[in-house]
Amino acid sequence: MKLFTVSQHEDGFGDASWELLASVQAHALPLLEAELADLLARAQEQAKRMGADWHQDLQRSDEPGGWHTVHLTLCGPDAWGEKTLADWLQEPSASGG
């Protein structure tokens, strides 16, 4: 099980964006960071393979009660994002799922 939730938004012209959101307590932050690093490395590798132009927006915040929130937006071609996320979601998570 991944720590991030994922939602997809398509523009109807072959491009899409994917919103990933996770909020964890401090003890799970290393697992979240590992998932994030893995996903971004896969996105870059897949972009090289497909010749895809993609963008990311990463925001982090510390919330009350010791929560840490990460919001990542990926934008690029539908096929690139679908392949990247499908492969990433199929891999076992660092959190054991």
Side-chain angles (χ1 to χ4, degrees), residues 57-78:
D57 179 47
L58 178 62
Q59 299 177 19
R60 302 168 188 254
S61 61
D62 295 329
E63 307 293 336
W67 289 91
H68 302 274
T69 300
V70 174
H71 179 236
L72 173 65
T73 303
L74 299 174
C75 299
D78 287 339

Side-chain angles (χ1 to χ4, degrees), residues 11-89:
D11 70 359
F13 298 101
D15 289 320
S17 64
W18 295 264
E19 303 287 330
L20 293 92
L21 180 65
S23 190
V24 299
Q25 291 280 294
H27 71 275
L29 195 53
L31 297 174
L32 180 64
E33 293 292 342
E35 282 191 11
L36 179 62
D38 181 48
L39 174 57
L40 291 175
R42 287 172 185 268
Q44 183 63 37
E45 183 61 33
Q46 191 64 32
K48 285 181 188 176
R49 280 190 221 124
M50 298 179 78
D53 184 26
W54 68 289
H55 306 279
Q56 70 172 15
D57 179 47
L58 178 62
Q59 299 177 19
R60 302 168 188 254
S61 61
D62 295 329
E63 307 293 336
W67 289 91
H68 302 274
T69 300
V70 174
H71 179 236
L72 173 65
T73 303
L74 299 174
C75 299
D78 287 339
W80 161 82
E82 289 174 8
K83 176 71 172 146
T84 298
L85 288 168
D87 290 350
W88 178 69
L89 289 169

